[in-house]
Amino acid sequence: MSLLDALFVAGEPAAPLMLPDSVQKANFAETVHKIVNLDVGDLLRTLLSQSMWILLKIAVALAIYFVGRWIVRRILRLLDTMFERRQVDLSLRSFLRNTVSVVFSLILLLIVVQTLGVNVTSLIAVFSAATLAIGMALSGTAQNFAGGVMILLMKPYRVGDVISAQGQTGTVREIKLFSTVINTADNRTIYIPNNSIATAIIDNYSTAPLRRVDWTVSISYGDDVDTARSAILELLAADTRVLKDPAPVVWVAALADSSVNLTVRAWTQNGDYWNVFFENNELFYRLLPAKGIRFPFPQMDVHLTKGE
């Protein structure tokens, strides 16, 4: 019995192929012939040629990537220079820079992938479908992007402004594609989604050049209000940071249970607000008692009646 007959016993193929016996025997014989007459040198040359071609494409792709990254960084530097020369708003500058960086990085990625031999058209189709699916799943991200555009158009705040929004207060450090970054007074970094902050109530402390400083000074019942007013105005007049126009004022605001509450108002430059507030607060406490002004504390009068 021949080798081919042994492999095809009783006319049934050894492999589950629905081909005539003669065709299967011919294919098997051809395969055996190729294996027996295999040219190892030709195989190695073919493998080496293919390997060299693959390595060459990888090297070219890497070269394109690094050169492309250098070009992207160069473009971003040119943009920064142009923004600086034209004095573009810092908020818009940061937003546009991030957008250009993302777009050029995606273009560079497509070029590198195409250099490696991947069909970019199919990749773009797959990417578009994936983007649609991801966009539906992450609709909030698109809303944050739209919120960022709204912030840049409406300009409720800019980079460097001190704002209070969404329960957070701090200095705006950067307006990104999807969030606004602020630094708090205790040096915490807060990321607020643009969609949330664009539709929220924003308290911007940096818009106006002047700010009014308010104090509440409580004096005891029986103390002379005019004496307290004169002493407070004298202290404020000695502070060069307090503006003479509008002039500081002192009014009786409330007759409380244990004190007479005076409202003190003065105007100062925006940047001097907190220093003026805290330093004069301390001066009121230290110097008003010398003028005969007493600071009250809660107290209760209890009257006892002797029972019969």
Side-chain angles (χ1 to χ4, degrees):
M1 181 182 294
S2 64
L3 176 60
L4 293 179
D5 293 334
L7 293 174
F8 297 90
V9 180
E12 295 182 1
L17 301 174
M18 303 304 293
L19 293 174
D21 293 345
S22 59
V23 175
Q24 295 186 44
K25 291 179 180 180
N27 291 338
F28 183 77
E30 183 181 358
T31 302
V32 172
H33 178 75
K34 289 181 178 180
I35 294 175
V36 172
N37 298 282
L38 180 63
D39 189 347
V40 178
D42 184 61
L43 177 62
L44 292 177
R45 283 192 297 271
T46 302
L47 292 176
L48 181 60
S49 176
Q50 294 294 330
S51 300
M52 292 296 294
W53 176 243
I54 293 173
L55 290 175
L56 179 61
K57 290 199 296 184
I58 293 176
V60 173
L62 288 175
I64 291 175
Y65 174 77
F66 287 112
V67 172
R69 290 301 302 169
W70 180 84
I71 293 175
V72 171
R73 287 195 295 268
R74 183 67 178 173
I75 291 174
L76 293 178
R77 283 198 293 268
L78 290 175
L79 279 177
D80 291 336
T81 303
M82 183 184 68
F83 291 154
E84 187 70 26
R85 185 182 302 115
R86 295 179 178 272
Q87 297 182 347
V88 178
D89 182 73
L90 290 177
S91 306
L92 183 61
R93 185 185 309 181
S94 174
F95 189 86
L96 291 177
R97 193 181 191 281
N98 289 332
T99 303
V100 170
S101 177
V102 171
V103 170
F104 277 94
S105 296
L106 288 176
I107 294 175
L108 177 60
L109 178 62
L110 291 177
I111 294 175
V112 171
V113 170
Q114 186 177 22
T115 303
L116 292 174
V118 179
N119 189 345
V120 178
T121 304
S122 301
L123 184 63
I124 292 176
V126 173
F127 178 76
S128 300
T131 302
L132 178 61
I134 294 173
M136 295 177 63
L138 301 176
S139 59
T141 302
Q143 293 174 358
N144 288 329
F145 179 82
V149 175
M150 185 184 300
I151 291 170
L152 292 175
L153 293 177
M154 304 302 294
K155 296 181 180 178
Y157 57 85
R158 305 174 184 225
V159 172
D161 286 355
V162 179
I163 66 171
S164 179
Q166 296 296 94
Q168 303 294 335
T169 301
T171 303
V172 178
R173 190 180 74 186
E174 187 177 3
I175 301 176
K176 293 190 172 185
L177 293 178
F178 306 113
S179 63
T180 294
V181 185
I182 67 173
N183 281 350
T184 62
D186 56 349
N187 204 27
R188 290 181 296 128
T189 301
I190 307 294
Y191 295 84
I192 304 178
N194 284 336
N195 180 48
S196 300
I197 197 171
T199 57
I201 296 176
I202 302 172
D203 195 349
N204 193 330
Y205 299 104
S206 302
T207 304
L210 303 179
R211 285 189 64 185
R212 192 184 72 190
V213 189
D214 294 350
W215 296 271
T216 297
V217 180
S218 298
I219 63 177
S220 298
Y221 278 100
D223 288 349
D224 187 70
V225 173
D226 291 332
T227 301
R229 179 182 289 114
S230 299
I232 293 172
L233 292 177
E234 182 181 346
L235 291 174
L236 294 177
D239 192 337
T240 57
R241 296 166 300 183
V242 175
L243 300 181
K244 303 300 185 291
D245 185 20
V249 294
V250 180
W251 302 104
V252 176
L255 303 178
D257 292 339
S258 302
S259 64
V260 176
N261 295 335
L262 305 180
T263 291
V264 182
R265 294 176 178 175
W267 289 85
T268 185
Q269 296 292 330
N270 202 318
D272 294 331
Y273 178 87
W274 288 112
N275 289 334
V276 170
F277 176 80
F278 288 121
E279 291 177 14
N280 282 282
N281 222 14
E282 182 177 346
L283 288 177
F284 294 157
Y285 176 74
R286 290 171 49 201
L287 300 181
L288 287 182
K291 303 289 185 178
I293 305 301
R294 296 168 300 166
F295 298 112
F297 52 88
Q299 52 186 311
M300 179 182 298
D301 293 334
V302 180
H303 302 276
L304 299 178
T305 301
K306 184 176 181 181
E308 294 181 358

